[in-house]
Amino acid sequence: MLAANQLNRPIVVALYIRVSTAEQAELGYSIGAQEQALRQYCGATNRVIYDVYCDAGITGTSMTKRLALQRMMSDAKKGLFSEVIVWKINRLARRNIDLLQIVEELSDHQVGFRSLTESMFDTTTNFGKFGLQIMGAISELDRNNILENAQMGLKQRARTGKHNTRAPLGYRVVILSQSGRKRNTKMEVVPEEAAIVRRIFEHYASGHGLRSIANSLNRDGHRTKKGNPFTICAVSDILDNAFYVGKVTYLKHLDWSKKRRKGKNANPIVSDGMHEPIVPHELWEKARFLRQQKSVVSEKRFHGDLLLTGLLRCPSCGSAMTGSRTNNKDKNGNPVPRFYYSCSKMRSSGAVVCRANSIRKDVAEDYLFVRLKEVLAKPHILRGIVKGINERKESSLKPLQEELSSVNAGIEEIKAKKNRLIELYEMDDFDSAFVSERIKKLDSDFDQLCSRKAEIGYLLSGDHSESVPYKTVHSLIERFEHLLRYSNPDQRKTLLHLIISKITVTKDKKIEKIEMIFDEKTKHHFLNAAPSAPNTAEGAFPFSDGKAPRLEQALTITI
């Protein structure tokens, strides 16, 4: 640059201009205003403009997305200009570390740097570099303060139930009024999109998987808010979005630009929204219950043609049995596929660890449905099952009653010991420090016994100690069998894996017993009337014959 001046030649410069989307409307920040000011300066100081590098609508915190900046740095490396001029320092970078890195790299290629409105900094001198560092730090502090204030405003909007994000599928943003950059908006339901959202929730609550729902929507020509085909992730995001049930959630993730999904916030802001919900609360709760259940169990267990995958237990090692396939031939020599359930441990580790113990798919599944019908059709079988439930319940209560007697005796013994220690202390027969430490230990033991007494009392009280009525068991199994009979394959498998905990197979490849667990949530969501309308496309496990009996605790039934 000095050589150019000495030869009285004009300086060849590069102009760098940047404006983010949020700054487009700010006075003096526009692309045109920056370029005009920089061109006037070059004309007045005999500088020749090599090129204008412009990043429009891009934040200053991003380095990789600023393609014009990358091109300018490449041209600087080639020696195509000797100086870079910007309108303000924060146009080049918002973060001080990025600013210093860019200026240092320019300096390495003998390219100077100048700010039009902060012209006191000459980066060719140590004092100028120091001043630039101070100015960059002030600029970054100013940016951080702006972001903090903006974040406070967004948090307050979320707490009052106002939206901060783009409208999701099913809604559109309507501008009520506008003053400058400040807009007063509301979310309005888009009926045709809302129907798609409700369909997704109803299908999922009916037992359909994410892939099945996405395929169904794409087959019918539906698209996401951005006009793309539905994917598993798109369906999943809709099912997890509480906005559809009338809630506003903000700050689910922290520092998204760097951490992405790893920056999950344990305490996001959740409030009642000011918008109209699309999904009924009951349907939302049902979908949430299924999402939670499937989050801890492999999706393969819930979906596919093999209904009992993971439910059948190997008679040799107790591992879950999974599907396998063989190809036999009929009398004409044509291949006939046959499906079996086989020990998963044998399939993964080999025959040295366990045997296949295969049971045919149709045999196992037919037995399940036949057994359910048999139990309902023959009252004496069900009465025997109910009797067994109550006998096991009674036998489990006896040890608790004995433990309660022991706990009560222990409590009384501790009270007596404390009284004796207090009497000895008052008679000055024991050291006070010893007595105090001993009483402290007795108080700790006393608290533990009282806590255990309360637990046992709860287990022995109310429904925990009362016999299970025959009518309750009959109603639960009847509803379960009814839904299985009239559900489609996806629904049927979902029900089986929600209700059945395990199916025991004998070594001669026969089903020995089926263990079912009913609790208030499964009963409420799947054995009562459907929360969605009865004439919906999938029905969401419809059952119109009254309400299932209330369950205060989980009930295990083995048939």
Side-chain angles (χ1 to χ4, degrees), residues 518-538:
F518 297 91
D519 59 28
E520 184 57 30
K521 280 197 172 182
T522 54
K523 186 276 303 178
H524 173 75
H525 289 306
F526 300 99
L527 302 183
N528 274 339
S532 53
N535 59 349
T536 55
E538 296 301 321

Side-chain angles (χ1 to χ4, degrees), residues 294-526:
K294 294 182 181 184
S295 67
V296 295
V297 180
S298 170
E299 280 281 333
K300 291 182 180 179
R301 285 186 55 177
F302 279 87
H303 304 294
D305 296 330
L306 295 159
L307 299 178
L308 305 182
T309 297
L311 296 180
L312 291 162
R313 297 291 169 174
C314 174
S316 300
C317 67
S319 298
M321 301 181 76
T322 56
S324 61
R325 169 179 171 165
T326 62
N327 285 318
N328 299 331
K329 291 185 178 180
D330 60 16
K331 60 182 180 180
N332 298 320
N334 298 317
V336 177
R338 293 192 185 279
F339 294 92
Y340 294 83
Y341 293 103
S342 305
C343 174
S344 59
K345 183 170 284 189
M346 186 281 298
R347 296 185 65 190
S348 62
S349 303
V352 175
V353 176
C354 192
R355 298 173 55 198
N357 293 312
S358 300
I359 180 172
R360 280 178 54 175
K361 172 184 181 292
D362 54 345
V363 171
E365 293 175 4
D366 288 347
Y367 176 84
L368 170 67
F369 294 104
V370 169
R371 181 59 175 165
L372 286 170
K373 291 179 182 177
E374 182 184 36
V375 168
L376 293 172
K378 299 178 180 179
H380 69 278
I381 296 178
L382 187 56
R383 291 191 188 280
I385 292 170
V386 175
K387 182 180 178 183
I389 292 172
N390 289 323
E391 285 177 349
R392 288 194 299 272
K393 200 167 192 179
E394 188 176 339
S395 64
S396 67
L397 292 177
K398 189 175 180 180
L400 288 174
Q401 292 168 342
E402 292 174 352
E403 185 183 356
L404 182 60
S405 298
S406 176
V407 168
N408 284 330
I411 289 173
E412 293 303 319
E413 184 180 353
I414 289 175
K415 288 180 179 178
K417 286 181 179 179
K418 281 185 65 177
N419 288 334
R420 286 198 299 272
L421 282 171
I422 292 172
E423 289 174 0
L424 291 171
Y425 174 73
E426 291 175 345
M427 294 170 60
D428 293 329
D429 285 357
F430 276 86
D431 178 65
S432 60
F434 171 79
V435 173
S436 176
E437 189 64 30
R438 182 62 181 150
I439 289 178
K440 186 177 179 181
K441 176 65 170 64
L442 289 173
D443 283 340
S444 176
D445 293 342
F446 182 83
D447 290 342
Q448 290 181 14
L449 288 175
C450 287
S451 176
R452 181 55 184 161
K453 180 180 179 180
E455 291 177 9
I456 297 172
Y458 172 73
L459 293 173
L460 292 174
S461 65
D463 284 344
H464 296 273
S465 61
E466 292 179 2
S467 297
V468 178
Y470 169 87
K471 183 179 179 181
T472 296
V473 177
H474 184 277
S475 174
L476 292 172
I477 297 178
E478 180 185 35
R479 290 162 186 272
F480 182 46
E481 190 276 335
H482 174 91
L483 290 178
L484 286 176
R485 192 174 353 126
Y486 290 103
S487 297
N488 62 45
D490 268 347
Q491 293 174 320
R492 188 172 294 137
K493 191 166 187 181
T494 298
L495 268 175
L496 288 171
H497 284 265
L498 287 173
I499 303 296
I500 295 178
S501 59
K502 65 179 178 180
I503 301 173
T504 306
V505 179
T506 63
K507 290 190 176 181
D508 57 352
K509 302 179 181 179
K510 293 181 179 178
I511 292 180
E512 182 179 26
K513 57 185 178 181
I514 302 165
E515 186 175 292
M516 301 178 289
I517 298 179
F518 297 91
D519 59 28
E520 184 57 30
K521 280 197 172 182
T522 54
K523 186 276 303 178
H524 173 75
H525 289 306
F526 300 99

Side-chain angles (χ1 to χ4, degrees), residues 110-364:
Q110 289 76 51
V111 177
F113 170 71
R114 182 182 299 275
S115 168
L116 180 62
T117 57
E118 298 137 341
S119 56
M120 73 286 294
F121 304 122
D122 182 0
T123 58
T124 61
T125 66
N126 290 333
F127 185 80
K129 289 180 179 178
F130 175 71
L132 180 68
Q133 293 173 9
I134 297 298
M135 197 64 193
I138 293 173
S139 178
E140 183 172 348
L141 176 63
D142 180 56
R143 167 187 170 270
N144 291 338
N145 286 334
I146 292 172
L147 290 177
E148 185 177 347
N149 292 335
Q151 189 69 266
M152 287 176 61
L154 294 173
K155 287 180 179 179
Q156 184 58 28
R157 280 181 59 86
R159 292 190 184 101
T160 57
K162 296 178 181 178
H163 66 281
N164 285 323
T165 57
R166 289 175 295 182
L169 185 70
Y171 294 92
R172 59 170 161 250
V173 177
V174 177
I175 300 175
L176 301 176
S177 61
Q178 184 166 355
S179 176
R181 294 181 58 196
K182 190 173 182 180
R183 299 189 307 173
N184 180 24
T185 64
K186 75 168 186 175
M187 284 287 191
E188 185 178 85
V189 173
V190 181
E192 56 273 21
E193 293 182 6
I196 298 173
V197 172
R198 279 190 288 268
R199 172 176 169 175
I200 289 171
F201 275 88
E202 286 165 358
H203 282 217
Y204 190 79
S206 300
H208 288 273
L210 303 178
R211 190 184 304 278
S212 171
I213 295 171
N215 286 339
S216 173
L217 293 171
N218 293 330
R219 188 168 55 247
D220 292 345
H222 297 300
R223 291 293 180 264
T224 66
K225 194 72 172 178
K226 294 182 179 180
N228 300 320
F230 278 92
T231 62
I232 290 174
C233 290
V235 174
S236 177
D237 288 344
I238 288 173
L239 290 169
D240 291 336
N241 192 348
F243 198 83
Y244 293 118
V245 77
K247 297 289 183 180
V248 168
T249 306
Y250 185 60
L251 288 181
K252 288 176 67 175
H253 295 86
L254 300 173
D255 201 4
W256 175 264
S257 60
K258 294 180 180 179
K259 299 179 180 178
R260 313 304 286 180
R261 294 187 184 276
K262 292 182 180 179
K264 190 171 183 179
N265 184 8
N267 298 298
I269 296 173
V270 181
S271 58
D272 292 331
M274 299 178 68
H275 60 283
E276 178 186 349
I278 287 177
V279 177
H281 183 75
E282 278 288 327
L283 183 56
W284 165 262
E285 288 295 326
K286 187 171 182 178
R288 293 311 307 154
F289 175 72
L290 269 178
R291 292 287 283 163
Q292 291 162 6
Q293 291 292 104
K294 294 182 181 184
S295 67
V296 295
V297 180
S298 170
E299 280 281 333
K300 291 182 180 179
R301 285 186 55 177
F302 279 87
H303 304 294
D305 296 330
L306 295 159
L307 299 178
L308 305 182
T309 297
L311 296 180
L312 291 162
R313 297 291 169 174
C314 174
S316 300
C317 67
S319 298
M321 301 181 76
T322 56
S324 61
R325 169 179 171 165
T326 62
N327 285 318
N328 299 331
K329 291 185 178 180
D330 60 16
K331 60 182 180 180
N332 298 320
N334 298 317
V336 177
R338 293 192 185 279
F339 294 92
Y340 294 83
Y341 293 103
S342 305
C343 174
S344 59
K345 183 170 284 189
M346 186 281 298
R347 296 185 65 190
S348 62
S349 303
V352 175
V353 176
C354 192
R355 298 173 55 198
N357 293 312
S358 300
I359 180 172
R360 280 178 54 175
K361 172 184 181 292
D362 54 345
V363 171

